[in-house]
Amino acid sequence: MPKEQDTPPTAANSAGPAPNDPVYMGLPDERVLRRRFYVGAALTVPVMAIAMGPMVAPHLLHGADARALAWAQLALTTPVFFWSGAFFIRRWWASLRERDTNMFTLTVTGTGAAYVYSVLAVLFGGSFPAAFRTSHGVPLYFEATAFITTVVLLGQILEQRAHARTDAAIRGLLDLAPKVAHRLATDGTESDVPVGAVLPGDRLRVRPGEHIPVDGVLAEGASELDESMLTGEPTAIAKGPGDRASAGTVNTNGTFVMRADRVGRDTLLAQIIRLVDQAREGQPPIARLADRISSWFVPTVAALAAITFFAWLLFGPDPRFIYALLNSVAVLIIACPCALGLATPVSVVTAIGRGARAGILVKDAAALERLASAGTVLIDKTGTLTAGRPRLVRVIPAQGFAEAEVLGLAASAESPSEHPLARAIVAAAAERGIAREPATGFAAEPGVGVRARVAGRLVAVSRAAPDVDAASTDTLVSVTVDGRGAGTLSMADTLRPSTPAAIRELQRMGLFVVMVTGDRESAARPVAASLGLDGCHAAVTPARKQELVREYRTRGGLVAFVGDGLNDAPALAEADVGVAMGTGTDIAMNSAGLVLLQGDLAALVRAVRLSRATLRNIKENLFWAFAYNLAGIPVAAGALFPLTGWLLSPMLAGAAMSLSSITVVSNGLRLRRVRL
C-alpha cells in the first residue's frame, strides 16, 4: 500500500520542530521563552528596586555602598540581557545582516547601548569627564536594559502562544476522523482495521453515532448524516444507496454499508486540513507599527549617533575620544525609552481585559489590531447569523385538529428520538406548556421518520412530501394520526435576535458585510435579503470560502471572517481576522484570533469598536514613547554644550524616561473605560 494513503500530511501529526528551533518570527516555542521570562523577571525586580527605589522611598538604600550597588546591577542585568534576551540579540544581528530593520533592531540597539554605557560607567566611571558625573557618580541605565528586555519577552510569549493555536486546530481536525474502520470481507465477515489500512473499493460498515472513516458511496442501507461540518446545514441529510458520504461527518441513526473510494490524503477532510495548514504557513505577516517606525527611526538614530561621534572627535575638547564615545552612546540610550517596550503591551493587555468583560475573547493581539483596518466582513449563516439549530416556527393543523393537539402528539411520538428535528419539536412543546404522553411501540426508519402509539393512537412523524409547499424555504414535517393527516410542522433555523441590529451597525461603521454559507441557495437568499446584506454566496464548499477571502482581499483592505463550524476553519485561518462564535466548534475557535463568547453577533460590533480604540491608543502611546526622548536627543548629542556647557543631564534623561513611561501607562489604562 502506498505510504501517502496512511494519513494526510500536516504539521499536527509530524514530529514538529524541536523546542529551540524557530517557530514564528524567528523565535522558539513559547515554553522556551517562558523559562527565560521567569528568570528575567526575577532578576529585573531587584535591579528596578536598586535603581528606582530611592525615588519612591528616599531612605530605602540609605547608607548602602554605591559601588556595591552598581556591581549588583551589573551582575543581575547581564544574564537578563544575554540569556533571557539571547533570541532578540540573534534577531537583531540578522536584521543588520539582512538590512531589514524591525522592532528587534530598535529594541536591542537601545538596550545594548544602555548596557554598554552602564558597564563602562561601572568599570571606568572615574575616567569620565566631570560633565557626565553627578554627586552620586556616573548615572547607570541597567534598569532600562533589564526592564525592556523582560517586557518585550512577555509580548513575544503571547504571540508565540497565539500562533501555536492553529496547530491545535489542525489536531482537532485530525481527531474528527475515526482511527478504526469496520471492514467487510468478501465472505461477509467483519473485522476492525486501522483507517490507514483502508483501500479504495473496500466495503465498510458504519453504525449509528459513528464518524464516517473515509469518503465513499452508500452501497446498502440508509441513514441520515450530519454534514453540518461541511455544508452548514443545521439538519441531518437523508442518505440511501448511491449517495455520497464524506470522512468526518456523523451517522446519526442508521446502519449502512459503504464502498470506499477516496482514502488518506484524498478525502475531503484531509483537503480541509491542508487548506488550514497552508493558510497558516502562507499568510504574509502584517507589518507592525513598531516595525514600520523602526524602518526609518533606526537608521536615523544610527546616523545621528555617528554624526555625534565624529563631530566630538573632530571638534570637541580633550579627551576627544571619550567625549565622542559617551555622547554618541547617550544618543542611542535616550532614543530607546522604556516606554517603547510598554507602548503596545499596555494597550493590548488592557484591551484584552476590557474585551473579556464585553464577551470578547482576544486570543491573538495582532488580530485585534488588524480588525480596526478591516473593510470587508464575510459572515457564515448557520450558527452565526442564525441560531444554528432547527426551531419550530409554525404549526399548520388539518381540519378537525387543534395546533396544541398536533404539536403534543408529535412531541410525544418524537420523545425517544435524538434527531435534531425531534429535539426541536419536543422543545417547542415544552416552551408552550404542552404536556407529552408516554409513547409505546416506538420505531424509527432512517431518512423517513418515526412511528409510535400515543394514548392508543398511531402517530407518524415524517418529512413532508416535496409538493406540500414547494415555495417554502422551511423544513416541513408531516404529522399523521391513525393514517389521517393531522397537520404540518414548519421548522427553520431562525435569526438570532441581535443579528439585524448588529448588521446595520456594522454597515454604519463603514464595513462591507457579505454572507458566505454552505447552505442551499433557497435558504440563504431570503436571509440575506431580509438583513440587507451587501452580498451573498450560497452553497459554497470550505475551499471556496477560503478562496472568497482571497478574492475580497484583492479588492482592497483587510478581510474578517466570522464563523462557527469546521467548514469555516480554512476561511478563519486564511482571513486577516478570524472571528469565531463561542457557541461553535472547538476547531473554529482554535482557528480564529477572536472569539465572541456568547455567540452573539452584537459582540462583533463591540469588537470592532474595541479594535479601533486599541489601535488609536497604541498610536498615541508610540507618539508619547518617542516625543519626550526625541526632544532630548539634541541635548544628548551635545548641541547645547557650546552655549551652556550642558551635556546629557542625568536629571533630564531620567525625567524623560519616567514621564514617557507614566504617560504611556496612564493612556493605555484609559481603555478600561472605553465605551463599546
Side-chain angles (χ1 to χ4, degrees):
M1 181 187 66
K3 183 176 178 61
E4 60 268 19
Q5 290 182 350
D6 291 344
T7 52
T10 128
N13 57 15
S14 63
N20 284 291
D21 290 345
V23 173
Y24 180 61
M25 295 283 295
L27 300 177
D29 187 272
E30 60 99 6
R31 291 170 297 176
V32 175
L33 298 181
R34 197 165 61 233
R35 291 194 298 269
R36 296 179 182 246
F37 168 74
Y38 292 149
V39 173
L43 297 176
T44 297
V45 169
V47 173
M48 296 295 294
I50 294 172
M52 312 297 290
M55 298 182 186
V56 179
H59 300 292
L60 179 64
L61 298 173
H62 183 70
D65 182 62
R67 187 74 175 163
L69 292 177
W71 278 101
Q73 291 185 71
L74 171 58
L76 292 168
T77 303
T78 298
V80 176
F81 182 65
F82 287 105
W83 188 75
S84 295
F87 299 108
F88 301 156
I89 295 174
R90 293 176 194 171
R91 291 286 288 115
W92 169 79
W93 177 247
S95 70
L96 296 181
R97 189 175 63 249
E98 298 166 7
R99 298 179 182 177
D100 179 23
T101 55
N102 52 46
M103 184 187 70
F104 297 108
T105 318
L106 183 59
T107 302
V108 176
T109 298
T111 56
Y115 178 80
V116 171
Y117 180 96
S118 301
V119 170
L120 292 175
V122 172
L123 298 177
F124 310 108
S127 303
F128 279 31
F132 288 88
R133 294 198 298 270
T134 68
S135 58
H136 300 289
V138 179
L140 305 177
Y141 298 96
F142 285 121
E143 81 284 356
T145 299
F147 185 73
I148 293 173
T149 300
T150 304
V151 170
V152 173
L153 187 55
L154 175 61
Q156 294 308 306
I157 288 172
L158 296 176
E159 289 203 18
Q160 295 296 85
R161 188 173 296 174
H163 183 72
R165 288 193 177 98
T166 305
D167 289 331
I170 296 175
R171 287 193 296 272
L173 289 172
L174 288 171
D175 290 340
L176 290 176
K179 305 298 185 288
V180 175
H182 313 302
R183 185 163 62 187
L184 298 176
T186 54
D187 61 0
T189 59
E190 180 179 320
S191 61
D192 289 349
V193 298
V195 170
V198 176
L199 295 174
D202 284 350
R203 288 163 54 84
L204 309 173
R205 186 182 302 282
V206 183
R207 300 188 177 97
E210 293 183 339
H211 286 78
I212 311 301
V214 296
D215 290 0
V217 178
L218 270 68
E220 302 173 13
S223 184
E224 292 187 334
L225 302 188
D226 180 356
E227 296 184 331
S228 58
M229 57 169 275
L230 300 177
T231 65
E233 290 269 9
T235 56
I237 308 299
K239 299 281 185 175
D243 291 331
R244 295 201 59 82
S246 298
T249 57
V250 181
N251 178 25
T252 60
N253 56 13
T255 298
F256 60 86
V257 175
M258 64 180 292
R259 185 183 68 255
D261 61 4
R262 290 189 298 191
V263 300
R265 67 177 65 220
D266 296 325
T267 66
L268 184 57
L269 178 61
Q271 294 172 22
I272 293 176
I273 293 171
R274 282 198 295 272
L275 290 173
V276 175
D277 206 18
Q278 290 166 5
R280 179 195 65 170
E281 297 298 334
Q283 189 176 14
I286 302 296
R288 311 168 188 215
L289 275 175
D291 286 348
R292 293 198 293 270
I293 292 173
S294 298
S295 65
W296 60 264
F297 188 76
V298 171
T300 301
V301 171
L304 289 174
I307 292 171
T308 299
F309 180 84
F310 287 109
W312 280 92
L313 191 64
L314 295 175
F315 307 111
D318 291 325
R320 293 185 179 184
F321 180 79
I322 296 295
Y323 274 107
L325 177 63
L326 296 181
N327 282 294
S328 60
V329 171
V331 170
L332 295 177
I333 291 173
I334 203 166
C336 185
C338 292
L340 177 65
L342 293 170
T344 299
V346 166
S347 296
V348 169
V349 170
T350 306
I352 289 173
R354 180 66 183 92
R357 297 200 309 274
I360 306 159
L361 173 62
V362 180
K363 297 169 54 183
D364 183 0
L368 183 65
E369 176 186 335
R370 290 194 292 265
L371 182 59
S373 304
T376 302
V377 179
L378 305 182
I379 304 182
D380 176 51
K381 179 180 81 73
T382 307
T384 306
L385 295 172
T386 66
R389 58 184 180 275
R391 182 180 177 85
L392 180 69
V393 293
R394 213 167 26 136
V395 179
I396 310 169
Q399 187 173 4
F401 290 88
E403 285 189 23
E405 181 185 11
V406 173
L407 180 56
L409 290 169
S412 299
E414 290 280 20
S415 293
S417 175
E418 293 298 327
H419 192 283
L421 290 179
R423 295 295 89 200
I425 293 171
V426 172
E431 289 174 2
R432 302 185 188 193
I434 299 174
R436 301 196 307 270
E437 299 287 342
T440 60
F442 176 83
E445 185 176 350
V448 178
V450 303
R451 297 189 309 277
R453 286 204 169 271
V454 179
R457 307 165 78 181
L458 180 61
V459 179
V461 184
S462 60
R463 293 287 183 98
D467 58 353
V468 170
D469 188 352
S472 175
T473 60
D474 296 345
T475 299
L476 301 179
V477 176
S478 292
V479 182
T480 63
V481 178
D482 293 329
R484 176 189 170 193
T488 303
L489 307 180
S490 181
M491 318 291 292
D493 184 18
T494 57
L495 289 173
R496 294 179 184 272
S498 61
T499 294
I503 295 298
R504 289 194 298 271
E505 183 62 18
L506 289 172
Q507 292 173 327
R508 191 195 67 78
M509 297 167 77
L511 292 165
F512 192 76
V513 185
V514 179
M515 184 170 74
V516 179
T517 177
D519 211 346
R520 62 193 188 281
E521 191 89 18
S522 60
R525 289 292 174 185
V527 173
S530 67
L531 291 174
L533 299 179
D534 299 306
C536 174
H537 301 272
V540 296
T541 64
R544 179 58 182 153
K545 287 186 178 184
Q546 190 180 49
E547 290 174 2
L548 285 168
V549 171
R550 298 192 188 111
E551 290 176 12
Y552 277 95
R553 185 184 291 130
T554 61
R555 302 182 186 184
L558 303 185
V559 176
F561 188 94
V562 188
D564 76 320
L566 165 64
N567 58 329
D568 301 318
L572 287 168
E574 178 69 38
D576 299 296
V577 185
V579 183
M581 307 299 278
T583 51
T585 64
D586 290 342
I587 294 164
M589 287 187 278
N590 280 329
S591 300
L594 303 177
V595 176
L596 309 182
L597 295 175
Q598 303 302 321
D600 183 355
L601 202 61
L604 179 61
V605 175
R606 297 193 291 271
V608 173
R609 290 174 180 157
L610 178 64
S611 175
R612 293 179 177 180
T614 303
L615 185 60
R616 183 169 59 250
N617 194 268
I618 290 173
K619 290 179 179 179
E620 293 167 353
N621 283 350
L622 288 172
F623 168 79
W624 290 115
F626 288 106
Y628 289 108
N629 301 80
L630 285 174
I633 283 180
V635 180
L640 300 180
F641 184 78
L643 301 176
T644 64
W646 288 356
L647 288 174
L648 177 63
S649 167
M651 292 181 60
L652 179 61
M657 286 189 178
S658 299
L659 284 173
S660 59
S661 297
I662 292 171
T663 303
V664 163
V665 171
S666 300
N667 189 57
L669 293 177
R670 289 193 306 113
L671 286 172
R672 293 184 301 179
R673 299 183 299 275
V674 66
R675 295 187 62 181
L676 302 179

PDB file of all heavy atoms in Angstrom, residues 568-593:
ATOM      1  N   ASP A 568     -15.871  26.272   8.353  1.00  0.00           N
ATOM      2  CA  ASP A 568     -15.362  27.644   8.339  1.00  0.00           C
ATOM      3  C   ASP A 568     -13.869  27.724   8.683  1.00  0.00           C
ATOM      4  O   ASP A 568     -13.264  28.787   8.534  1.00  0.00           O
ATOM      5  CB  ASP A 568     -16.135  28.509   9.345  1.00  0.00           C
ATOM      6  CG  ASP A 568     -17.622  28.554   9.053  1.00  0.00           C
ATOM      7  OD1 ASP A 568     -17.969  28.678   7.869  1.00  0.00           O
ATOM      8  OD2 ASP A 568     -18.424  28.456  10.003  1.00  0.00           O
ATOM      9  N   ALA A 569     -13.287  26.611   9.170  1.00  0.00           N
ATOM     10  CA  ALA A 569     -11.908  26.648   9.676  1.00  0.00           C
ATOM     11  C   ALA A 569     -10.897  27.148   8.643  1.00  0.00           C
ATOM     12  O   ALA A 569     -10.049  27.989   8.972  1.00  0.00           O
ATOM     13  CB  ALA A 569     -11.500  25.280  10.213  1.00  0.00           C
ATOM     14  N   PRO A 570     -10.930  26.662   7.370  1.00  0.00           N
ATOM     15  CA  PRO A 570      -9.946  27.188   6.397  1.00  0.00           C
ATOM     16  C   PRO A 570     -10.076  28.695   6.184  1.00  0.00           C
ATOM     17  O   PRO A 570      -9.073  29.398   6.074  1.00  0.00           O
ATOM     18  CB  PRO A 570     -10.271  26.404   5.119  1.00  0.00           C
ATOM     19  CG  PRO A 570     -10.913  25.148   5.594  1.00  0.00           C
ATOM     20  CD  PRO A 570     -11.712  25.547   6.796  1.00  0.00           C
ATOM     21  N   ALA A 571     -11.322  29.199   6.112  1.00  0.00           N
ATOM     22  CA  ALA A 571     -11.527  30.636   5.902  1.00  0.00           C
ATOM     23  C   ALA A 571     -11.110  31.430   7.127  1.00  0.00           C
ATOM     24  O   ALA A 571     -10.539  32.524   7.007  1.00  0.00           O
ATOM     25  CB  ALA A 571     -12.993  30.911   5.562  1.00  0.00           C
ATOM     26  N   LEU A 572     -11.380  30.903   8.325  1.00  0.00           N
ATOM     27  CA  LEU A 572     -10.966  31.587   9.553  1.00  0.00           C
ATOM     28  C   LEU A 572      -9.450  31.706   9.624  1.00  0.00           C
ATOM     29  O   LEU A 572      -8.912  32.723  10.061  1.00  0.00           O
ATOM     30  CB  LEU A 572     -11.485  30.827  10.775  1.00  0.00           C
ATOM     31  CG  LEU A 572     -12.988  30.931  11.060  1.00  0.00           C
ATOM     32  CD1 LEU A 572     -13.409  29.901  12.098  1.00  0.00           C
ATOM     33  CD2 LEU A 572     -13.349  32.335  11.530  1.00  0.00           C
ATOM     34  N   ALA A 573      -8.745  30.648   9.199  1.00  0.00           N
ATOM     35  CA  ALA A 573      -7.281  30.683   9.213  1.00  0.00           C
ATOM     36  C   ALA A 573      -6.725  31.588   8.124  1.00  0.00           C
ATOM     37  O   ALA A 573      -5.687  32.229   8.303  1.00  0.00           O
ATOM     38  CB  ALA A 573      -6.722  29.268   9.059  1.00  0.00           C
ATOM     39  N   GLU A 574      -7.415  31.659   6.981  1.00  0.00           N
ATOM     40  CA  GLU A 574      -6.939  32.459   5.850  1.00  0.00           C
ATOM     41  C   GLU A 574      -7.184  33.948   6.049  1.00  0.00           C
ATOM     42  O   GLU A 574      -6.397  34.785   5.606  1.00  0.00           O
ATOM     43  CB  GLU A 574      -7.654  31.996   4.573  1.00  0.00           C
ATOM     44  CG  GLU A 574      -7.300  32.783   3.319  1.00  0.00           C
ATOM     45  CD  GLU A 574      -5.866  32.538   2.868  1.00  0.00           C
ATOM     46  OE1 GLU A 574      -5.410  31.388   2.969  1.00  0.00           O
ATOM     47  OE2 GLU A 574      -5.206  33.499   2.417  1.00  0.00           O
ATOM     48  N   ALA A 575      -8.271  34.295   6.728  1.00  0.00           N
ATOM     49  CA  ALA A 575      -8.663  35.698   6.857  1.00  0.00           C
ATOM     50  C   ALA A 575      -7.627  36.496   7.634  1.00  0.00           C
ATOM     51  O   ALA A 575      -6.880  35.964   8.456  1.00  0.00           O
ATOM     52  CB  ALA A 575     -10.027  35.791   7.545  1.00  0.00           C
ATOM     53  N   ASP A 576      -7.597  37.793   7.362  1.00  0.00           N
ATOM     54  CA  ASP A 576      -6.728  38.677   8.141  1.00  0.00           C
ATOM     55  C   ASP A 576      -7.156  38.684   9.603  1.00  0.00           C
ATOM     56  O   ASP A 576      -6.328  38.800  10.497  1.00  0.00           O
ATOM     57  CB  ASP A 576      -6.784  40.102   7.566  1.00  0.00           C
ATOM     58  CG  ASP A 576      -6.310  40.149   6.121  1.00  0.00           C
ATOM     59  OD1 ASP A 576      -5.133  39.847   5.872  1.00  0.00           O
ATOM     60  OD2 ASP A 576      -7.140  40.461   5.247  1.00  0.00           O
ATOM     61  N   VAL A 577      -8.465  38.558   9.817  1.00  0.00           N
ATOM     62  CA  VAL A 577      -9.008  38.457  11.174  1.00  0.00           C
ATOM     63  C   VAL A 577     -10.046  37.344  11.185  1.00  0.00           C
ATOM     64  O   VAL A 577     -11.071  37.447  10.507  1.00  0.00           O
ATOM     65  CB  VAL A 577      -9.675  39.767  11.634  1.00  0.00           C
ATOM     66  CG1 VAL A 577     -10.122  39.650  13.084  1.00  0.00           C
ATOM     67  CG2 VAL A 577      -8.739  40.950  11.462  1.00  0.00           C
ATOM     68  N   GLY A 578      -9.788  36.278  11.931  1.00  0.00           N
ATOM     69  CA  GLY A 578     -10.755  35.206  12.089  1.00  0.00           C
ATOM     70  C   GLY A 578     -11.524  35.412  13.378  1.00  0.00           C
ATOM     71  O   GLY A 578     -10.936  35.574  14.442  1.00  0.00           O
ATOM     72  N   VAL A 579     -12.859  35.417  13.280  1.00  0.00           N
ATOM     73  CA  VAL A 579     -13.720  35.623  14.450  1.00  0.00           C
ATOM     74  C   VAL A 579     -14.641  34.417  14.573  1.00  0.00           C
ATOM     75  O   VAL A 579     -15.412  34.131  13.649  1.00  0.00           O
ATOM     76  CB  VAL A 579     -14.551  36.916  14.329  1.00  0.00           C
ATOM     77  CG1 VAL A 579     -15.380  37.132  15.581  1.00  0.00           C
ATOM     78  CG2 VAL A 579     -13.650  38.112  14.064  1.00  0.00           C
ATOM     79  N   ALA A 580     -14.577  33.702  15.691  1.00  0.00           N
ATOM     80  CA  ALA A 580     -15.398  32.509  15.901  1.00  0.00           C
ATOM     81  C   ALA A 580     -16.470  32.781  16.936  1.00  0.00           C
ATOM     82  O   ALA A 580     -16.282  33.572  17.865  1.00  0.00           O
ATOM     83  CB  ALA A 580     -14.528  31.334  16.345  1.00  0.00           C
ATOM     84  N   MET A 581     -17.599  32.096  16.785  1.00  0.00           N
ATOM     85  CA  MET A 581     -18.675  32.184  17.766  1.00  0.00           C
ATOM     86  C   MET A 581     -18.358  31.240  18.917  1.00  0.00           C
ATOM     87  O   MET A 581     -17.978  30.080  18.708  1.00  0.00           O
ATOM     88  CB  MET A 581     -20.011  31.803  17.128  1.00  0.00           C
ATOM     89  CG  MET A 581     -20.331  32.579  15.861  1.00  0.00           C
ATOM     90  SD  MET A 581     -20.467  34.366  16.123  1.00  0.00           S
ATOM     91  CE  MET A 581     -22.141  34.470  16.738  1.00  0.00           C
ATOM     92  N   GLY A 582     -18.527  31.710  20.139  1.00  0.00           N
ATOM     93  CA  GLY A 582     -18.224  30.887  21.304  1.00  0.00           C
ATOM     94  C   GLY A 582     -19.132  29.692  21.444  1.00  0.00           C
ATOM     95  O   GLY A 582     -18.825  28.758  22.193  1.00  0.00           O
ATOM     96  N   THR A 583     -20.261  29.682  20.714  1.00  0.00           N
ATOM     97  CA  THR A 583     -21.174  28.545  20.745  1.00  0.00           C
ATOM     98  C   THR A 583     -20.856  27.535  19.659  1.00  0.00           C
ATOM     99  O   THR A 583     -21.570  26.554  19.488  1.00  0.00           O
ATOM    100  CB  THR A 583     -22.619  29.040  20.554  1.00  0.00           C
ATOM    101  OG1 THR A 583     -22.678  29.877  19.385  1.00  0.00           O
ATOM    102  CG2 THR A 583     -23.074  29.846  21.754  1.00  0.00           C
ATOM    103  N   GLY A 584     -19.765  27.764  18.910  1.00  0.00           N
ATOM    104  CA  GLY A 584     -19.414  26.885  17.807  1.00  0.00           C
ATOM    105  C   GLY A 584     -18.455  25.781  18.211  1.00  0.00           C
ATOM    106  O   GLY A 584     -18.296  25.445  19.386  1.00  0.00           O
ATOM    107  N   THR A 585     -17.778  25.221  17.214  1.00  0.00           N
ATOM    108  CA  THR A 585     -16.889  24.093  17.448  1.00  0.00           C
ATOM    109  C   THR A 585     -15.531  24.559  17.976  1.00  0.00           C
ATOM    110  O   THR A 585     -15.101  25.691  17.731  1.00  0.00           O
ATOM    111  CB  THR A 585     -16.655  23.309  16.140  1.00  0.00           C
ATOM    112  OG1 THR A 585     -15.977  24.162  15.198  1.00  0.00           O
ATOM    113  CG2 THR A 585     -17.966  22.847  15.533  1.00  0.00           C
ATOM    114  N   ASP A 586     -14.859  23.654  18.698  1.00  0.00           N
ATOM    115  CA  ASP A 586     -13.525  23.963  19.212  1.00  0.00           C
ATOM    116  C   ASP A 586     -12.561  24.243  18.068  1.00  0.00           C
ATOM    117  O   ASP A 586     -11.654  25.077  18.196  1.00  0.00           O
ATOM    118  CB  ASP A 586     -12.995  22.795  20.048  1.00  0.00           C
ATOM    119  CG  ASP A 586     -13.740  22.653  21.358  1.00  0.00           C
ATOM    120  OD1 ASP A 586     -14.405  23.618  21.760  1.00  0.00           O
ATOM    121  OD2 ASP A 586     -13.662  21.569  21.974  1.00  0.00           O
ATOM    122  N   ILE A 587     -12.740  23.550  16.945  1.00  0.00           N
ATOM    123  CA  ILE A 587     -11.835  23.725  15.804  1.00  0.00           C
ATOM    124  C   ILE A 587     -11.947  25.138  15.254  1.00  0.00           C
ATOM    125  O   ILE A 587     -10.944  25.776  14.929  1.00  0.00           O
ATOM    126  CB  ILE A 587     -12.156  22.681  14.722  1.00  0.00           C
ATOM    127  CG1 ILE A 587     -11.827  21.276  15.250  1.00  0.00           C
ATOM    128  CG2 ILE A 587     -11.385  22.949  13.447  1.00  0.00           C
ATOM    129  CD1 ILE A 587     -12.444  20.174  14.453  1.00  0.00           C
ATOM    130  N   ALA A 588     -13.166  25.642  15.141  1.00  0.00           N
ATOM    131  CA  ALA A 588     -13.352  27.016  14.662  1.00  0.00           C
ATOM    132  C   ALA A 588     -12.710  28.003  15.626  1.00  0.00           C
ATOM    133  O   ALA A 588     -12.025  28.946  15.217  1.00  0.00           O
ATOM    134  CB  ALA A 588     -14.842  27.315  14.494  1.00  0.00           C
ATOM    135  N   MET A 589     -12.909  27.789  16.925  1.00  0.00           N
ATOM    136  CA  MET A 589     -12.353  28.717  17.914  1.00  0.00           C
ATOM    137  C   MET A 589     -10.826  28.674  17.937  1.00  0.00           C
ATOM    138  O   MET A 589     -10.170  29.685  18.164  1.00  0.00           O
ATOM    139  CB  MET A 589     -12.927  28.411  19.295  1.00  0.00           C
ATOM    140  CG  MET A 589     -14.384  28.835  19.433  1.00  0.00           C
ATOM    141  SD  MET A 589     -15.036  28.679  21.119  1.00  0.00           S
ATOM    142  CE  MET A 589     -15.443  26.933  21.141  1.00  0.00           C
ATOM    143  N   ASN A 590     -10.236  27.505  17.681  1.00  0.00           N
ATOM    144  CA  ASN A 590      -8.780  27.410  17.641  1.00  0.00           C
ATOM    145  C   ASN A 590      -8.199  28.056  16.386  1.00  0.00           C
ATOM    146  O   ASN A 590      -7.038  28.459  16.366  1.00  0.00           O
ATOM    147  CB  ASN A 590      -8.343  25.943  17.711  1.00  0.00           C
ATOM    148  CG  ASN A 590      -8.367  25.392  19.116  1.00  0.00           C
ATOM    149  OD1 ASN A 590      -8.154  26.121  20.074  1.00  0.00           O
ATOM    150  ND2 ASN A 590      -8.656  24.116  19.258  1.00  0.00           N
ATOM    151  N   SER A 591      -9.007  28.129  15.313  1.00  0.00           N
ATOM    152  CA  SER A 591      -8.530  28.724  14.062  1.00  0.00           C
ATOM    153  C   SER A 591      -8.656  30.240  14.055  1.00  0.00           C
ATOM    154  O   SER A 591      -8.081  30.901  13.190  1.00  0.00           O
ATOM    155  CB  SER A 591      -9.330  28.156  12.875  1.00  0.00           C
ATOM    156  OG  SER A 591      -9.185  26.758  12.789  1.00  0.00           O
ATOM    157  N   ALA A 592      -9.412  30.784  15.001  1.00  0.00           N
ATOM    158  CA  ALA A 592      -9.717  32.215  14.998  1.00  0.00           C
ATOM    159  C   ALA A 592      -8.832  32.981  15.968  1.00  0.00           C
ATOM    160  O   ALA A 592      -8.282  32.423  16.911  1.00  0.00           O
ATOM    161  CB  ALA A 592     -11.192  32.428  15.356  1.00  0.00           C
ATOM    162  N   GLY A 593      -8.720  34.283  15.717  1.00  0.00           N
ATOM    163  CA  GLY A 593      -7.964  35.151  16.613  1.00  0.00           C
ATOM    164  C   GLY A 593      -8.831  35.784  17.680  1.00  0.00           C
ATOM    165  O   GLY A 593      -8.348  36.174  18.737  1.00  0.00           O
TER     166      GLY A 593
END
